[in-house]
Amino acid sequence: MTLDGVIRSLNAAMATALGRPREQSVGHGFVDLLSEDQRISAESLLAHGATTKRLAMRVLEFPGTGTASVVCLVEARPVMDPPSGERLVWVHSLDAGHDLGGLLIPFQLAARDAGLGLWMCSPDEHRMESLGGAPALAALFPQASVPLSEVIRRVHPDDRRDVQRLVRSSAAQSPWIRSRFFTEDDGWRVLAGQTRRVQLGYGGPERVFAVIRDDTQSETHRQEMLAEVSAERERADGITAFSSALFTAATEQELQQVVLARLAAAVGGCGALFAVVDDGRLRVSSDAGIPTWEADALHGLSLDEDRPLPCVIRTGQAQFFPNHEELVRRWLHDDDLPLPRPVPGTALSITPLSPADDRPLGAWVVTYESEHPPSPEKLAFMTALAELAGQALRRIRLQQAHVELSTALQQSMLPTLPEHLPGLEIAARYQPSRDGLDIGGDWYDAFFLPDGAVALEIGDAQGHDVDAAVFMGQVRSSMRAIAAHEPEPGTVLMRTNELLVAMDAPRFASCTMLHLDPQDGQVIGTSAGHVPLLHARDDGSHTIHALPAGPVLGIVPGTEYPEETFTLEEGTALVMVTDGVVEGPSLPLEAGLEMAGALAGQALQDRLGVEATADRILDAVAQVDHLDDVAVLVIRRA
């Protein structure tokens, strides 16, 4: 080579060691043809050979042409090219066959520095020989040579196949493979191994070397991290489920169930108590982690009491008590506090459901199996969760107030049926919508007319809110007022439609109106876009009676509503319904009318009264899966 390491010539053996033909080696830098981890040693060898007259030797690893690399003891010394007089460096490998172990010294030193154990495998001889390296790993087997069967025996059964495949690998270098290995002193350890095929000297024997790394600590740390990640994910899922359940709770009872079922587990506690304020007093419940008698002692406590739980609710400031002594010390040495008392080694926290500047709503108490306070993050999380529960409680109570208001409004608008109708039996039912404000535009009515007949109405005003109820009230009142002067059903609907059109009413209404003479059963009827009547008989039969009709009320000006006259025989009944009774997502109108008619006919055949008949029809509404409000009016001629 030149002094800077460019190859001038080489023999076939060196070309084989470098793993390339001679013509592809000449003119290239010797160091560049070696693996990266060998270049420092090669550069040092050449530097000594070029600048000193002393013998320089290094163990170098050459690529080789097979699966195994070639390890050689290499000498470098300065020489003179006779023809040109140029100074060159002569590099050649020495025969180390008499001391193959010397070729392994760099491997042993590198293994020791890297904290690895070094072993030589002889699969054909079924043995492993320790070559040193890190003392702790070299000491896995006290003997220098160990049967391969003994090594496999100490490997966990689930990992043995991988280790056998590792030892028998024919690749130049295997991937790292982990296995659990049993040691006499430390029990199970996690070891990672990698094998390499190396030829010891040019033309020398080929061996399989294994480097062993102890991954026990890193694996333990990895498992701890995985467990922590899994626990954190589980906590996050629990928190998400808790928050979602708070948002979906529709009643205070449902909210109480959510808190008592989930709170302790979500915040790492062992028991939970839930207190809400009702008319200045506490309503208290607890889970299985807090004795019932302790919850009973708090139930009914005044919010004005100078006690821990009322104080936290009034001030909106959370408190944590690491033990019973601290609880007593902070509360005037009162040993009879109505509060879950921490037993030795436990603690409790009280968290308000509303902040200090808001209306007191309540609080929850959590007990812990440790006197150490929860982390600031966990306390902050619990405060946020309690505020969510407070928001849910406000929403539930506001909705309840709306429901009570709408129910009162609806009841005030529903008419009182006449108590005595000679020759007739009458019953009515109303059920609010499952959507909106539990109030709607469905109505029914029955009242005496000046000519002695009975007016019967059923209708459906557009919408499910207070405005719909108000509009319904306007329509019903208008029809009553008009019928007092012009009782014919067609005229009543025509005049009502004119009135609504003139008012430019923002909604419309469907309606059926009947004029029934109790003496002879004569019925005059008409409809404004409403569903048909049902005519039921005491033999169990029924018919669907579609009256002549005009458009819904309040849309088309100048509309006339045609009438039909028929007779209601004795023992038969008319059933008037709104569309929510007979039509829904799971039932078309025709099928719904048939179902309601069959129920009414069967009820008459079973000799049920009109009240029971109305109930039976209303109970069937569940099959319709209705979202609308519904009304039923049943009239039977005795």
Side-chain angles (χ1 to χ4, degrees):
M1 305 178 195
T2 61
L3 297 183
D4 58 357
V6 176
I7 298 174
R8 283 286 181 84
S9 64
L10 74 165
N11 63 7
M14 182 59 78
T16 300
L18 289 173
R20 57 173 56 206
R22 294 167 62 178
E23 59 271 16
Q24 292 183 12
S25 301
V26 174
H28 291 273
F30 173 68
V31 173
D32 297 335
L33 300 182
L34 301 178
S35 62
E36 195 167 328
D37 61 342
Q38 297 295 306
R39 290 178 182 176
I40 294 178
S41 296
E43 289 171 351
S44 171
L45 175 70
L46 294 181
H48 278 77
T51 59
T52 67
K53 295 182 179 182
R54 292 174 305 193
L55 180 66
M57 288 190 295
R58 296 286 188 279
V59 174
L60 294 181
E61 185 176 354
F62 294 90
T65 55
T67 58
S69 59
V70 182
V71 178
C72 297
L73 179 62
V74 180
E75 175 191 13
R77 61 182 177 180
V79 295
M80 184 73 68
D81 182 27
S84 64
E86 181 183 6
R87 292 178 59 204
L88 300 175
V89 178
W90 181 52
V91 174
H92 70 107
S93 64
L94 301 174
D95 182 7
H98 65 285
D99 184 21
L100 293 177
L103 298 177
L104 302 178
I105 292 176
F107 291 91
Q108 294 168 325
L109 295 176
R112 181 187 294 270
D113 292 342
L116 305 174
L118 183 63
W119 297 73
M120 185 166 64
C121 307
S122 301
D124 296 337
E125 299 175 6
H126 304 290
R127 299 195 69 80
M128 287 187 66
E129 181 181 348
S130 174
L131 300 179
L137 287 165
L140 287 176
F141 291 98
Q143 304 85 3
S145 181
V146 183
L148 193 57
S149 60
E150 173 65 12
V151 176
I152 299 298
R153 184 184 67 81
R154 292 200 186 183
V155 175
H156 193 281
D158 293 345
D159 301 335
R160 287 174 184 170
R161 182 172 296 181
D162 290 339
V163 172
Q164 290 170 336
R165 189 162 52 245
L166 176 70
V167 171
R168 297 190 178 110
S169 173
S170 60
Q173 181 170 299
S174 75
W176 285 94
I177 292 180
R178 266 185 184 173
S179 63
R180 289 157 289 182
F181 190 83
F182 186 78
T183 63
E184 299 293 342
D185 298 329
D186 302 327
W188 289 105
R189 295 169 72 176
V190 179
L191 303 180
Q194 184 184 56
T195 59
R196 293 183 57 197
R197 305 187 76 85
V198 176
Q199 182 180 334
L200 297 178
Y202 181 77
E206 189 175 292
R207 294 288 184 267
V208 177
F209 292 91
V211 287
I212 308 297
R213 185 180 71 220
D214 191 347
D215 282 358
T216 304
Q217 187 172 357
S218 63
E219 177 64 17
T220 301
H221 180 63
R222 188 179 76 89
Q223 292 295 335
E224 289 173 351
M225 288 188 63
L226 287 175
E228 186 175 339
V229 168
S230 177
E232 186 60 34
R233 184 181 295 115
E234 186 176 342
R235 283 194 295 270
D237 291 344
I239 290 165
T240 301
F242 193 179
S243 303
S244 176
L246 288 177
F247 283 122
T248 56
T251 65
E252 288 195 34
Q253 182 179 7
E254 290 179 6
L255 181 64
Q256 170 188 306
Q257 291 172 351
V258 169
V259 171
L260 297 182
R262 298 176 178 270
L263 177 59
V267 300
C270 57
L273 180 146
F274 189 48
V276 296
V277 178
D278 264 344
D279 295 328
R281 294 194 173 275
L282 303 188
R283 181 158 46 85
V284 179
S285 53
S286 64
D287 65 7
I290 293 179
T292 304
W293 66 266
E294 294 192 356
D296 291 343
L298 291 165
H299 190 75
L301 195 65
S302 172
L303 186 60
D304 297 328
E305 287 273 353
D306 190 22
R307 304 288 190 176
L309 185 55
C311 179
V312 167
I313 296 173
R314 286 196 312 270
T315 63
Q317 299 295 324
Q319 294 195 29
F320 177 80
F321 301 95
N323 49 52
H324 180 257
E325 291 73 20
E326 179 68 11
L327 176 64
V328 173
R329 184 188 67 79
R330 287 162 59 179
W331 285 92
L332 305 176
H333 306 281
D334 188 345
D335 198 32
D336 191 27
L337 293 170
L339 191 72
R341 287 188 266 173
V343 298
T346 66
L348 65 84
S349 64
I350 312 175
T351 310
L353 302 183
S354 54
D357 56 350
D358 211 339
R359 179 182 178 183
L361 292 173
W364 59 40
V365 179
V366 178
T367 58
Y368 306 89
E369 292 180 339
S370 170
E371 294 188 0
H372 297 292
S375 65
E377 293 80 8
K378 186 169 287 187
L379 288 174
F381 158 70
M382 188 155 56
T383 299
L385 209 57
E387 290 183 359
L388 284 179
Q391 293 173 15
L393 183 58
R394 287 191 197 89
R395 170 180 53 79
I396 289 169
R397 288 186 169 178
L398 181 60
Q399 179 67 18
Q400 183 61 35
H402 285 177
V403 168
E404 291 173 358
L405 174 63
S406 63
T407 301
L409 178 60
Q410 186 78 51
Q411 291 301 322
S412 69
M413 290 189 169
L414 292 175
T416 301
L417 297 179
E419 293 185 5
H420 302 291
L421 290 173
L424 297 176
E425 297 174 356
I426 186 168
R429 295 291 185 270
Y430 173 82
Q431 184 170 295
S433 166
R434 293 192 325 213
D435 186 29
L437 195 59
D438 278 350
I439 191 171
D442 284 15
W443 86 89
Y444 60 83
D445 203 355
F447 53 91
F448 285 109
L449 293 169
D451 60 2
V454 177
L456 301 163
E457 300 171 14
I458 195 162
D460 183 359
Q462 177 193 13
H464 307 106
D465 51 26
V466 173
D467 290 340
V470 171
F471 180 66
M472 173 268 288
Q474 291 174 337
V475 175
R476 188 171 64 84
S477 300
S478 299
M479 292 180 66
R480 273 208 177 206
I482 294 169
H485 301 282
E486 299 179 89
E488 295 78 11
T491 303
V492 173
L493 294 191
M494 180 180 68
R495 298 281 185 249
T496 303
N497 180 65
E498 291 174 354
L499 176 63
L500 296 178
V501 170
M503 292 170 54
D504 195 19
R507 298 173 185 254
F508 58 85
S510 67
C511 177
T512 289
M513 184 175 182
L514 305 179
H515 178 286
L516 173 58
D517 187 340
Q519 300 300 321
D520 57 9
Q522 187 185 65
V523 181
I524 304 171
T526 187
S527 173
H530 202 69
V531 297
L533 289 170
L534 296 169
H535 194 166
R537 301 172 182 85
D538 56 10
D539 62 357
S541 65
H542 73 277
T543 55
I544 299 172
H545 194 139
L547 294 169
V552 293
L553 304 174
I555 299 295
V556 182
T559 300
E560 294 185 357
Y561 293 86
E563 299 174 341
E564 177 188 348
T565 301
F566 61 93
T567 301
L568 178 64
E569 300 89 357
E570 293 182 359
T572 65
L574 294 176
V575 180
M576 305 170 72
V577 298
T578 54
D579 58 357
V581 178
V582 291
E583 186 176 27
S586 61
L587 196 69
L589 177 61
E590 294 78 7
L593 286 169
E594 285 292 340
M595 179 190 70
L599 288 171
Q602 186 62 49
L604 292 187
Q605 189 176 30
D606 294 342
R607 299 185 180 279
L608 299 181
V610 290
E611 298 286 348
T613 302
D615 287 335
R616 182 172 287 188
I617 295 171
L618 195 64
D619 290 342
V621 169
Q623 300 181 37
V624 183
D625 191 24
H626 83 105
L627 297 176
D628 201 357
D629 48 337
V630 296
V632 178
L633 188 63
V634 180
I635 310 98
R636 178 175 176 271
R637 188 177 176 205

